[in-house]
Amino acid sequence: MHCFRWLSILAAMLAGPGLTAHAQLVLPSDTNLFGDEIVRKLNEGRRVGVVVPMTDRGATAVPAKAEGLGHVLLFHDGRQLRGEVVQITRDEVVWRRPDVSEALRFPRAVVRRIVLAQSLNRRVVSVFGRTVAGSDKPVSATVKLPGGDWLFGDVTSADGKTIDVKLSAGMTCTIPRSQVEWLYFGPTPVPAFGFSGDALAMEGWLSSSASAWMEVADGTLTSRVAPWIGRSLSPTPRFEVAFEIPAESDDGLRLWLQPFGPQPNSYGTGTVELKFGRKEFTRLIYIDKFEHLSTPLPKEAQAEKRPVSYRVLFDGVGQRLVVVRNGRPLGDWKLRAEKDNAAGNRAAPQIRINGICFDNQEHDLRFNQLRVQPWDGVTPQEGDVAVAAERLSVGNAAPVAGTLESVTNSELIFSGEKMPRAGGTFVQFANATVPLVAADAMLAFGTRGELSVAGLEIRDGKVRCQTAFAPAFEVPATALQTVVFPQRPMAPPPPADALVFKNGDELSGTLLSAGQNTPLRWKTRNGQEVEFQVGRIAGVRLAGSQKVKADGKAATVELRNGERLRGELMALDETKLQWKHALLGPVVVDRSRLWHLYPNARLDVCDGGRDPLAWLGEAAEKSDAADRVPRGKSSPWIHLDGNYIQPPTGNDADYDGQSNGLQWVVRGECERLEVRCEVTQAGGSQPNFGVLLSAKGDAGSVRATVGYGNLQLYVNNPKLPNRQNWRNIPLRDKLADATTRTSLRVFVDTKIGTADFFLDGALAIRIGQDSNDRLPGLGQTVRFHPYASSEYPVVFSNLWIGPWNGELPRVGGDGAAATALANGDAVSGAPKELRDGKLLVGSEIGELELPVEKVQAVEFGGALQPEKSAGRIRLADGSAINVDTFRWDGHELVAHSATLGDLRLSAGAVSELIYDPAPAHAPRHPEPKKLVQTPTAPVAAKVLEEQELD
């Protein structure tokens, strides 16, 4: 599995910059994530990574930035809302939007953070020890302050007693020398973060789980529900990671130093994996082979019961690694063997680290103290303390003791000696600083620093608060990038409606009234009643529908305009279909509107809009939705109308997709399944996602990863545990018209154990052609998950799982009418009528009478004919109906449907009300131009040849 992960990371490293170099701006705040305008072409002229606006699929350029939506408010439950902060008091946040009737007021306790200026530069990559070529500006410096505080800017000091840090024009902070731990001069900030009792200092760390949180008790920080935490850092030539942990947290703890970003269980040239323990210490320095080497701990060390402290010292200049445990050196190792740099050999490039992470395979991650900072190269001896006296080092030179007397724009004076102000200059003070007590917020200035503060207020464009170095600190609000409030363990709130905006924003509360051409009236959780203009609204999820019992067994009819109804087939003739719906009662549909019919209620048909709680794994599979109990924190997904949007995280968190995936357990008696979805990367590059098909128990699984121009396949076959089970299938030549949206179709024969993967209409690979490779029962569970390596949202849409007639897609796709039987046979033509529980179908041998339970699917022929509608309603049972007028008064929905006529539905019957819905998409079929591409395997060539002959 490690090898598989390494290849995925390598592909990302090689392909990522080319695919995303154009996408360096935050998505416009009015981007419609539920529409088709986010779809772009990728490989014009076969050059993957060249992005051009879509012209042949109805999509347009991303809309311009909307005024009044420049800030982002994030709540503790994971929701976000764009707008502008007006005021922050001790008790509330006042928020303004251009589409709401008055300023919104939120209790400060429900707010997690406020983003005032967005930036995608999470990973600061630069070469330290050098000044910027051609620049006459003085080299800036990182200033380390108490706790996790730091600032970066132009540093001067007239007398050495105070340090002035100029962060921007008109903003200079004056800091007493006693509050400064160290200075490091360089063109960009160096690592200056850690934990010393305040959880706010850990805000910059990435987590492997969207539901993870950190708590502090008795001075010890514990990371809950997080298998690992990590942080990006600029590749400083020399740095140290120092930490203290409780004695019981030693075993199983690992530290990863990574050359490609914070990620465990991944290996690239220069990866350092360190595993700690009470009996031995294990290291792996990956250059060209895997070799875990262990160092036994002395018996006296094994017997210690006190907290354990470590210093891990990385020397990129000398290419070595030093580890110290409880003040005793464990070892000093070369990163590369001496022969690699021997005379006559090409000098190996320096290893630079730009990501670190911790994980623990046995316990929760726990820290008493943690810091990451530059290191001056002095190897500590037993009994040494980190800094005994003030000292200065420049580049690779040995440090000298003395006193910093002044700093000007051009030079430093250290113990009477003048020296140029140069990158790589490191001044360490011998100050015992004290972090701020009872901090209630953290101010982030982007690459300019982070400060924990108390008594925070924002009013009239000014930020006022207390810091560790200033009892009265004031800066302009425009200087801030983010305001962060402490994590608060909060009980799950009672169910509420969710107002969903087209850009992915959400606001919980209660829908009071709505109509297609009238303002939407809304009550927030704290009781404020406001009106929203509807132009930016995607729709509303209604909490009342969760109390309605929805039967899992039902027949399904799909209409030619994309509507879908669940219920019971009552009658069918040459002009109409009569249907019994649990919530609508008897309905009649004109036969010309029919597209697909699945009359057997035991053959489950599921789309993404049916039962979102089950897709998200937030509730156990029960027929009574009222009995469902959410699991812990709210899902990170934004969802509406069968679309599931994962907000960007900026890291490749949760590689296995166990906590951020969309999963469906297939019910019913389907022996052949079709699984399909569309995945869109909203930022203009190819989506990177996976699908996992599993059999019951340990009977095997197939994991497919799509992204970076490849399909990577991993087959877990318990019958052949030693067989090579990983394959990489290039897609660039097959997907000639690749876009930022990828269409996936998988055809699974669960009885035999085969699977056929189609991407954008092209056959990619067939699994199970050899009897030894088959996995009977495959597809019992289906899971989709993104790899969140993007700074942009990933959108899953058009999810569908249902019966498959056994035939692979052909060129032309939508053909003549046909009736597929449960035994695998098919009859040309659609049934003429339903009589005495049997469907009557004409055939070459005369009229056939087919019991409904023997019919798997009916295709009425022809193509999908999507239509634009004013709205769409989704019912509690998963049915989807387009409407041209609608009105909601808080108690019932009155609407008109071109298909069903006038509708009047009670509050509990409606699960979602969608504004301006995107037209339905038909499944993608092979196109003639696809057939000229080189197939990936002989068996694929045979299939394509057969299709071409047909």
Side-chain angles (χ1 to χ4, degrees):
M1 197 63 181
H2 286 166
C3 181
F4 177 72
R5 183 59 185 150
W6 176 82
L7 288 166
S8 295
I9 286 290
L10 180 61
M13 292 172 65
L14 294 177
L19 290 172
T20 61
H22 66 283
Q24 294 302 308
L25 297 177
V26 177
L27 279 179
S29 52
D30 254 7
T31 300
N32 182 7
L33 298 177
F34 295 90
D36 291 336
E37 55 263 42
I38 57 175
V39 184
R40 309 289 187 88
K41 283 189 175 181
L42 278 179
N43 44 339
E44 181 188 37
R46 296 296 183 88
R47 292 178 295 150
V48 173
V50 176
V51 179
V52 296
M54 292 289 289
T55 56
D56 58 345
R57 295 184 184 274
T60 58
V62 174
K65 180 179 178 180
E67 293 296 328
L69 299 177
H71 300 167
V72 184
L73 185 70
L74 294 102
F75 300 95
H76 281 283
D77 63 4
R79 304 173 197 264
Q80 71 174 35
L81 181 68
R82 263 160 276 213
E84 290 183 347
V85 62
V86 177
Q87 184 178 357
I88 298 178
T89 71
R90 301 294 180 95
D91 302 315
E92 69 177 2
V93 174
V94 183
W95 196 254
R96 177 173 54 212
R97 284 178 58 95
D99 55 356
V100 68
S101 57
E102 62 184 79
L104 297 163
R105 296 178 178 271
F106 300 102
R108 184 159 145 173
V110 305
V111 178
R112 182 70 178 93
R113 70 168 52 87
I114 301 173
V115 181
L116 303 175
Q118 300 184 60
S119 171
L120 295 183
N121 298 320
R122 285 176 177 256
R123 296 178 182 175
V124 181
V125 179
S126 64
V127 178
F128 286 88
R130 304 178 186 175
T131 56
V132 180
S135 175
D136 57 358
K137 295 182 179 180
V139 177
S140 296
T142 303
V143 183
K144 179 63 176 66
L145 302 171
D149 293 357
W150 61 277
L151 293 172
F152 176 77
D154 181 11
V155 170
T156 56
S157 177
D159 55 8
K161 295 180 180 180
T162 58
I163 306 292
D164 292 330
V165 187
K166 182 179 180 181
L167 302 182
S168 61
M171 180 180 171
T172 299
C173 300
T174 299
I175 304 166
R177 178 194 184 99
S178 61
Q179 298 297 309
V180 179
E181 296 181 4
W182 50 260
L183 304 173
Y184 192 102
F185 290 83
T188 53
V190 293
F193 44 82
F195 164 75
S196 57
D198 180 9
L200 281 167
M202 298 295 291
E203 285 299 324
W205 289 75
L206 307 171
S207 174
S208 57
S209 173
S211 59
W213 58 289
M214 298 183 184
E215 63 179 1
V216 177
D218 298 326
T220 298
L221 180 137
T222 302
S223 181
R224 302 291 189 187
V225 201
W228 64 264
I229 61 173
R231 182 146 183 170
S232 300
L233 66 156
S234 47
T236 312
R238 289 172 171 160
F239 68 90
E240 71 169 293
V241 182
F243 54 95
E244 180 185 284
I245 55 176
E248 63 273 17
S249 300
D250 203 6
D251 283 336
L253 178 66
R254 293 189 299 179
L255 168 64
W256 299 78
L257 309 180
Q258 293 285 22
F260 49 73
Q263 174 69 53
N265 299 321
S266 307
Y267 299 90
T269 301
T271 293
V272 177
E273 175 193 353
L274 307 177
K275 185 175 181 180
F276 307 95
R278 284 175 288 182
K279 294 184 178 180
E280 66 178 10
F281 166 78
T282 303
R283 72 186 186 279
L284 181 149
I285 302 173
Y286 179 73
I287 301 298
D288 53 10
K289 62 179 179 180
F290 292 95
E291 185 177 9
H292 288 88
L293 302 175
S294 297
T295 301
L297 299 185
K299 291 184 178 180
E300 60 271 21
Q302 297 183 31
E304 291 176 336
K305 302 298 184 183
R306 63 189 174 103
V308 185
S309 63
Y310 287 96
R311 291 183 69 191
V312 177
L313 307 162
F314 180 88
D315 185 355
V317 178
Q319 294 290 282
R320 65 191 183 111
L321 180 76
V322 180
V323 178
V324 179
R325 184 183 190 274
N326 282 343
R328 304 185 188 98
L330 280 180
D332 187 337
W333 301 281
K334 286 289 185 182
L335 297 179
R336 298 179 185 271
E338 293 293 342
K339 63 181 179 63
D340 291 338
N341 289 317
N345 292 342
R346 185 178 62 180
Q350 282 191 353
I351 296 171
R352 291 188 175 274
I353 301 299
N354 64 21
I356 67 171
C357 62
F358 289 94
D359 71 341
N360 196 315
Q361 301 166 312
E362 301 176 21
H363 309 284
D364 282 338
L365 289 167
R366 304 181 71 200
F367 297 95
N368 297 334
Q369 292 183 356
L370 171 64
R371 75 170 185 270
V372 184
Q373 66 179 47
W375 172 46
D376 60 11
V378 176
T379 303
Q381 303 300 314
E382 187 167 346
D384 283 354
V385 294
V387 180
E390 192 167 315
R391 63 193 191 203
L392 175 145
S393 59
V394 181
N396 304 335
V400 295
T403 303
L404 180 68
E405 298 174 358
S406 67
V407 181
T408 70
N409 287 336
S410 59
E411 63 184 12
L412 286 73
I413 299 180
F414 190 81
S415 293
E417 182 178 348
K418 295 182 179 181
M419 57 189 62
R421 177 173 175 155
T425 301
F426 185 25
V427 181
Q428 299 183 74
F429 299 92
N431 296 325
T433 62
V434 179
L436 181 69
V437 178
D440 60 14
M442 191 264 281
L443 307 181
F445 299 89
T447 59
R448 292 293 181 175
E450 298 174 354
L451 296 176
S452 294
V453 302
L456 172 69
E457 290 189 352
I458 297 180
R459 191 190 308 268
D460 301 325
K462 294 288 186 180
V463 179
R464 298 176 178 88
C465 57
Q466 176 189 353
T467 70
F469 60 86
F473 182 71
E474 181 176 306
V475 294
T478 54
L480 292 181
Q481 185 177 90
T482 308
V483 178
V484 183
F485 298 103
Q487 288 180 316
R488 299 177 185 271
M490 302 179 70
D497 299 339
L499 180 60
V500 183
F501 296 86
K502 292 178 180 178
N503 61 6
D505 290 357
E506 283 195 24
L507 182 63
S508 60
T510 303
L511 177 63
L512 300 178
S513 66
Q516 74 272 22
N517 295 317
T518 61
L520 180 146
R521 293 181 58 242
W522 187 259
K523 181 196 290 187
T524 64
R525 278 192 180 273
N526 55 310
Q528 183 182 8
E529 295 187 13
V530 295
E531 288 188 351
F532 284 90
Q533 300 301 314
V534 298
R536 294 185 174 93
I537 294 174
V540 182
R541 297 197 309 269
L542 299 168
S545 65
Q546 297 180 17
K547 301 177 182 179
V548 177
K549 185 175 181 179
D551 191 353
K553 293 183 179 180
T556 301
V557 59
E558 296 179 339
L559 306 186
R560 203 170 295 281
N561 62 355
E563 294 176 296
R564 186 174 287 117
L565 296 173
R566 290 170 53 78
E568 181 182 356
L569 175 63
M570 302 300 296
L572 176 69
D573 58 29
E574 294 184 354
T575 61
K576 63 183 178 297
L577 172 144
Q578 296 183 43
W579 193 259
K580 182 179 179 181
H581 191 277
L583 299 173
L584 300 174
V587 298
V588 177
V589 181
D590 190 274
R591 184 181 177 109
S592 64
R593 292 180 174 270
L594 304 181
W595 193 38
H596 293 136
L597 172 64
Y598 304 93
N600 188 346
R602 295 195 301 270
L603 300 179
D604 196 26
V605 178
C606 170
D607 70 283
R610 176 185 159 194
D611 207 345
L613 290 181
W615 276 106
L616 295 169
E618 291 187 14
E621 282 295 325
K622 296 180 181 180
S623 59
D624 189 349
D627 292 337
R628 298 180 177 181
V629 180
R631 300 184 206 161
K633 194 175 179 180
S634 299
S635 167
W637 292 89
I638 301 158
H639 63 96
L640 183 78
D641 195 25
N643 298 278
Y644 295 84
I645 303 169
Q646 187 181 66
T649 62
N651 68 299
D652 198 9
D654 192 19
Y655 165 68
D656 289 326
Q658 294 304 309
S659 67
N660 70 344
L662 304 170
Q663 177 173 295
W664 190 265
V665 178
V666 177
R667 298 165 290 193
E669 303 173 359
C670 289
E671 292 186 351
R672 290 181 298 276
L673 290 172
E674 179 182 357
V675 176
R676 63 178 181 250
C677 75
E678 293 180 344
V679 187
T680 309
Q681 208 269 30
S685 61
Q686 187 181 31
N688 185 10
F689 68 97
V691 59
L692 176 66
L693 307 174
S694 304
K696 290 184 178 180
D698 298 323
S701 63
V702 175
R703 182 195 301 273
T705 302
V706 180
Y708 309 115
N710 296 278
L711 168 66
Q712 294 180 346
L713 200 73
Y714 181 82
V715 180
N716 173 27
N717 188 341
K719 296 181 296 184
L720 302 169
N722 298 321
R723 186 167 180 174
Q724 184 178 1
N725 55 10
W726 182 88
R727 289 189 62 183
N728 184 71
I729 300 97
L731 299 175
R732 283 181 167 88
D733 289 337
K734 297 179 69 63
L735 308 183
D737 60 349
T739 71
T740 57
R741 173 175 289 165
T742 298
S743 169
L744 171 71
R745 301 180 72 182
V746 187
F747 301 90
V748 185
D749 191 316
T750 64
K751 184 175 182 179
I752 300 175
T754 62
D756 300 84
F757 286 78
F758 282 72
L759 286 161
D760 288 348
L763 177 62
I765 191 170
R766 308 192 70 187
I767 299 171
Q769 299 309 295
D770 186 321
S771 59
N772 291 326
D773 295 331
R774 294 174 180 171
L775 301 171
L778 186 68
Q780 191 265 343
T781 300
V782 179
R783 174 180 283 271
F784 300 100
H785 58 271
Y787 292 114
S789 56
S790 170
E791 295 283 358
Y792 297 100
V794 178
V795 183
F796 283 72
S797 58
N798 292 298
L799 282 73
W800 191 92
I801 302 173
W804 168 45
N805 62 14
E807 292 190 7
L808 294 178
R810 296 171 176 267
V811 176
D814 303 302
T819 302
L821 307 183
N823 63 3
D825 293 337
V827 179
S828 177
K832 296 180 180 179
E833 63 176 307
L834 174 67
R835 183 190 305 163
D836 300 327
K838 295 182 175 64
L839 290 167
L840 276 58
V841 184
S843 71
E844 297 177 353
I845 59 174
E847 190 171 72
L848 302 177
E849 295 185 352
L850 306 174
V852 169
E853 61 271 13
K854 300 294 184 181
V855 176
Q856 178 175 266
V858 176
E859 299 179 14
F860 289 90
L864 183 73
Q865 297 173 352
E867 62 183 23
K868 189 67 176 174
S869 60
R872 181 178 296 142
I873 57 174
R874 284 197 175 262
L875 306 183
D877 69 342
S879 296
I881 304 168
N882 294 337
V883 294
D884 45 49
T885 63
F886 61 90
R887 186 179 72 256
W888 172 270
D889 63 3
H891 303 286
E892 69 174 1
L893 178 78
V894 177
H896 180 269
S897 160
T899 302
L900 303 178
D902 292 329
L903 301 173
R904 188 178 293 271
L905 295 161
S906 63
V910 182
S911 64
E912 294 180 352
L913 174 61
I914 299 100
Y915 283 81
D916 189 28
H921 290 180
R924 291 199 61 174
H925 292 273
E927 301 172 18
K929 63 181 178 181
K930 305 284 186 187
L931 302 180
V932 303
Q933 305 298 334
T934 303
T936 60
V939 65
K942 183 175 185 297
V943 172
L944 293 179
E945 182 181 5
E946 290 173 352
Q947 292 182 359
E948 204 166 18
L949 291 174
D950 290 338

